[in-house]
Amino acid sequence: MKANKESLGQKLKRCIKGLLLTAVGVQIVLGLIWLGGSFGSTQFFSVSMDYVQAAENLTFHEYSGILYVLLTAAALWLQQITGISYYQPLYIIQVAVFLWAAYFFVCCMKRSGGTKGKLTAIFGALFLCTVPMLMQCHLAVRPQSLVVSVFLVMLGLCKRAADNVAEINGKLWIVMGTLWMVLSLLLPEYLYLGAVPVTGLLVLSFLKKGKILKSGCLVLLVFLVVTCMLNAAVLKPAADRIERKFESAMISRLVWPWFNQSYYFWPEEIKAVMSPGQALLIDADAEAVQRDFGPMVEQAYGKERALQLYAQMAKASLEVRTKDVLHEIWEDLKAYICTPLGVYGQLRGAEQISYSGWNYKNMSEQCPQITRPYVFCGFGLWFAEIFCFAGVVVRRLLLWKKEGESDKEKTHSHAFFWIAGLCVLSQAVWYTMSGAGMMDYLNVPVITVLWYALPIYLIFTPQRGRDID
């Protein structure tokens, strides 16, 4: 009876592996073709133009990170010398860095080595690199590609520490602190979002008593102070955008797109500077909240009073449109938590306000014939099926008795999934509440890469003791 069960497990896993390898192979081929066809052009994003302008003037504001502005400035300087378009060196750097980071991450997730293990890791790295939502980040002038690369390395180090607490030492604290600082200098909000894996590592260090926890806290505190000092000294409020505060985020989240419909409920000071016609124009463009409404109010009343008015508007909107506001927040949160399926539904016509259509249009400008099969293959045609099968594998693995693995080892291993889950949840909540009322999958490449890495781990990672292979 036992032999029959093992035979069934072997057949099931071989079947799932075959389906996954076929789908992954198709995605890699389509992704490489799209990369080749799009390498000579740039996608139009307003944020990309902001980075180019900031790089030309070497200005730094709270919406941009210090490092990516400097990197873009270096690419522009190289363009003047060589004539090579500034975005092409950025593309090469972003693709190369991600491939290395993805290879490192897959190696940390796997427990097998040797030539076969390395080839599997290379294959996994190519698969993650060619995920359509991630590939669009790699070939865009925006920092998300480098952000997800750095984050993958941090998560890989967390996985190593979860599997073997002895990995936690002074060198690891310095590396994690450096990566956290790099993240924060690429995008300021990752001072908070990058703290999740760092905190997870601190929790893991409790399993190893002694001086290592104290030294870790000290090292991380030094990096935190240095990062905060750099950002405070260099980053300034953007002159042409709303000041980045909690109240301004609530305007985008709770008031847009009801500026005109709820005009009657706004403070008189707001009505004095914004007519119903202007409110209607703001409702038509989510970015108008940051680029038009905010500067208009702050110029009229000053930033301190503007923040008070934002708070009054957010409160009024939440009271008047409670159902609408909560519904939009819930829809965005669902789409962010499971980005691949959320975006697939949006591109298939789901009634949700998002940037997915605009992003897809940007992606298809240079390669329209290849973009559609590439995107829809990656977003949904195989994704849902793979996860149905992966669910069977998960159940099989959970029910399988693993010999030679103690309860303590299981706790360490499961700790990584808690860390990864908290990373997904924290980023989903952050961008749901701080976004301009429109879901944008380009903001959360970390969530995307974790979803696509899951079947690789479930199906190709051998277990300690007996395996179902």
Side-chain angles (χ1 to χ4, degrees):
M1 187 68 180
K2 185 175 180 180
N4 291 335
K5 288 184 178 179
E6 290 178 349
S7 177
L8 178 62
Q10 290 173 347
K11 291 179 180 179
L12 178 62
K13 197 170 183 182
R14 279 199 300 269
C15 178
I16 296 174
K17 278 188 176 182
L19 289 173
L20 181 62
L21 287 171
T22 301
V24 167
V26 171
Q27 177 184 286
I28 290 174
V29 171
L30 292 175
L32 293 177
I33 293 173
W34 187 88
L35 186 152
S38 303
F39 188 79
S41 61
T42 182
Q43 302 175 70
F44 178 79
F45 295 108
S46 59
V47 66
S48 299
M49 299 301 102
D50 289 342
Y51 274 105
V52 172
Q53 184 178 0
E56 290 173 342
N57 302 319
L58 277 184
T59 56
F60 307 90
H61 57 75
E62 57 189 350
Y63 283 90
S64 66
I66 299 171
L67 287 183
Y68 202 77
V69 172
L70 293 175
L71 187 61
T72 306
L76 290 170
W77 174 78
L78 187 63
Q79 176 179 265
Q80 293 178 348
I81 295 177
T82 63
I84 299 174
S85 298
Y86 72 94
Y87 50 82
Q88 291 180 331
L90 290 176
Y91 294 169
I92 293 173
I93 292 171
Q94 289 170 179
V95 171
V97 170
F98 182 85
L99 280 172
W100 177 85
Y103 175 80
F104 175 82
F105 177 73
V106 175
C107 286
C108 291
M109 297 292 288
K110 292 177 60 60
R111 294 173 181 165
S112 59
T115 303
K116 183 178 180 181
K118 291 180 180 179
L119 290 176
T120 303
I122 293 172
F123 193 66
L126 284 170
F127 162 63
L128 293 178
C129 184
T130 54
V131 170
M133 291 180 285
L134 299 177
M135 180 61 79
Q136 187 173 18
C137 290
H138 305 327
L139 265 63
V141 182
R142 47 192 304 162
Q144 278 78 13
S145 174
L146 295 178
V147 165
V148 69
S149 298
V150 176
F151 213 100
L152 274 182
V153 177
M154 294 178 74
L155 288 175
L157 293 173
C158 287
K159 181 63 170 66
R160 280 186 175 180
D163 287 340
N164 183 10
V165 184
E167 293 279 346
I168 303 177
N169 51 40
K171 181 180 178 181
L172 179 61
W173 290 124
I174 293 175
V175 173
M176 285 293 286
T178 302
L179 294 173
W180 187 19
M181 183 171 69
V182 170
L183 271 180
S184 305
L185 296 179
L186 282 169
L187 273 180
E189 58 259 38
Y190 275 84
L191 181 67
Y192 312 104
L193 299 177
V196 177
V198 172
T199 304
L201 195 60
L202 284 172
V203 173
L204 283 173
S205 68
F206 277 108
L207 302 173
K208 186 175 183 179
K209 298 179 181 180
K211 297 181 180 179
I212 190 64
L213 177 59
K214 295 180 180 179
S215 63
C217 291
L218 181 60
V219 170
L220 293 175
L221 181 61
V222 171
F223 279 102
L224 177 62
V225 170
V226 171
T227 303
C228 291
M229 290 176 63
L230 280 173
N231 281 335
V234 177
L235 299 181
K236 306 299 179 183
D240 59 343
R241 300 175 75 174
I242 194 171
E243 186 174 10
R244 200 171 193 185
K245 298 290 186 180
F246 174 78
E247 293 86 349
S248 58
M250 291 304 96
I251 279 287
S252 293
R253 178 68 270 178
L254 304 180
V255 178
W256 193 88
W258 303 292
F259 275 80
N260 179 260
Q261 295 180 36
S262 303
Y263 188 83
Y264 173 80
F265 301 98
W266 304 147
E268 292 301 323
E269 291 163 283
I270 296 294
K271 295 178 182 178
V273 297
M274 181 183 68
S275 67
Q278 289 174 309
L280 191 62
L281 291 175
I282 293 172
D283 284 338
D285 182 6
E287 293 190 4
V289 178
Q290 296 178 353
R291 299 180 183 274
D292 298 329
F293 174 75
M296 178 173 60
V297 176
E298 291 170 9
Q299 184 177 1
Y301 303 112
K303 293 186 176 181
E304 184 176 348
R305 178 56 182 162
L307 291 176
Q308 296 173 357
L309 294 172
Y310 299 157
Q312 293 177 30
M313 293 179 69
K315 181 180 177 182
S317 182
L318 187 58
E319 291 175 349
V320 174
R321 297 191 172 276
T322 306
K323 184 178 179 180
D324 292 334
V325 168
L326 294 180
H327 173 75
E328 292 299 325
I329 290 175
W330 175 241
E331 290 299 317
D332 281 358
L333 184 61
K334 286 194 303 181
Y336 274 126
I337 287 177
C338 189
T339 309
L341 293 182
V343 173
Y344 180 66
Q346 292 163 7
L347 293 178
R348 298 290 292 180
E351 295 182 1
Q352 182 182 1
I353 304 175
S354 73
Y355 281 109
S356 296
W358 172 254
N359 292 339
Y360 175 78
K361 179 180 181 298
N362 269 332
M363 198 173 180
S364 62
E365 285 293 328
Q366 300 302 318
C367 303
Q369 293 83 5
I370 196 67
T371 300
R372 182 174 178 81
Y374 174 43
V375 168
F376 282 93
C377 174
F379 280 154
L381 293 185
W382 68 267
F383 185 84
E385 296 175 21
I386 289 299
F387 270 84
C388 287
F389 284 111
V392 176
V393 175
V394 172
R395 179 176 176 82
R396 181 75 178 177
L397 292 177
L398 288 177
L399 293 177
W400 195 265
K401 179 176 176 61
K402 305 183 191 75
E403 298 177 352
E405 184 175 19
S406 66
D407 291 338
K408 187 175 181 180
E409 288 174 324
K410 291 179 183 178
T411 301
H412 293 182
S413 181
H414 294 165
F416 170 76
F417 290 96
W418 280 103
I419 295 172
L422 288 173
C423 288
V424 170
L425 183 61
S426 62
Q427 296 198 19
V429 171
W430 177 277
Y431 286 107
T432 294
M433 299 308 298
S434 65
M438 291 183 67
M439 188 268 180
D440 187 355
Y441 62 78
L442 294 179
N443 283 332
V444 288
V446 173
I447 296 179
T448 301
V449 79
L450 286 175
W451 272 110
Y452 281 90
L454 184 59
I456 294 178
Y457 177 81
L458 293 175
I459 298 173
F460 290 104
T461 302
Q463 304 296 314
R464 296 181 184 179
R466 296 187 302 175
D467 190 19
I468 62 175
D469 263 340

